[in-house]
């Protein structure tokens, strides 16, 4: 019963308070560091582009056929084969509907080794 009184509670509360204070101070310091990095990165990304990249590009002349898609015969054959194989009764993998779990007994999952022999 008297063991409760052997603890120096003044020191316990002081260490607890210093711990909480240290955590909050470090969080505030971390916030300032991250805000500083953010300001530095905004300056780096807002740097002007080199003069070579500032050259104005001329738009390409529009053709009448640009609105229509031009598909060559190889693309048409690939699309037709994909549709045939996947939708129209072509090749398809049949997945098994039964799930089997085969237990593997190793020393990592063997319950026998985790039991304590308390009865002697």
């Amino acid at each position: 019963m008297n063991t409760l009184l052997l603890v120096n509670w003044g020191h316990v509360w002081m260490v607890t308070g210093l711990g909480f204070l240290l955590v909050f101070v470090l969080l505030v310091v971390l916030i300032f560091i991250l805000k500083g990095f953010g300001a530095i990165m905004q300056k780096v990304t807002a740097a002007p582009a080199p003069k070579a990249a500032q050259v104005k590009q001329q738009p390409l002349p529009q053709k009448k056929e640009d609105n229509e898609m031009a598909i060559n015969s190889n693309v048409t054959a690939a699309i037709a084969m994909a549709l045939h194989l996947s939708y129209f009764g072509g090749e398809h993998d049949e997945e098994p509907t039964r799930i089997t779990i085969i237990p593997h007994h190793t020393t990592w999952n063997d319950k026998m080794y985790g039991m304590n022999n308390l009865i002697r």
Side-chain angles (χ1 to χ4, degrees):
M1 188 74 171
N2 290 335
T3 58
L4 183 65
L5 300 175
L6 294 177
V7 176
N8 190 350
W9 288 101
H11 287 229
V12 170
W13 293 116
M14 183 180 64
V15 169
T16 303
L18 284 175
F20 276 106
L21 182 67
L22 180 66
V23 167
F24 285 120
V25 167
L26 288 176
L27 284 174
V28 169
V29 169
L30 184 63
I31 288 171
F32 284 123
I33 289 172
L34 290 177
K35 285 189 181 255
F37 281 141
I40 291 170
M41 293 308 291
Q42 280 182 348
K43 289 179 184 176
V44 169
T45 57
K51 290 183 180 183
Q54 291 178 352
V55 174
K56 196 176 213 181
Q57 294 182 356
Q58 297 293 331
L60 296 174
Q62 294 290 328
K63 294 181 183 178
K64 209 189 262 187
E65 297 89 26
D66 281 346
N67 294 336
E68 299 175 9
M69 291 182 62
I71 299 176
N72 61 11
S73 60
N74 291 335
V75 175
T76 305
I79 292 172
M81 188 57 134
L83 286 172
H84 173 72
L85 290 177
S86 61
Y87 292 111
F88 301 128
E91 296 287 327
H92 183 64
D93 294 340
E94 290 294 327
E95 300 293 331
T97 57
R98 184 173 180 184
I99 297 175
T100 57
I101 299 173
I102 300 170
H104 296 284
H105 295 290
T106 64
T107 56
W108 291 102
N109 65 354
D110 201 354
K111 303 296 185 222
M112 179 181 70
Y113 294 117
M115 301 296 291
N116 291 331
N117 189 5
L118 297 177
I119 301 171
R120 294 184 193 244

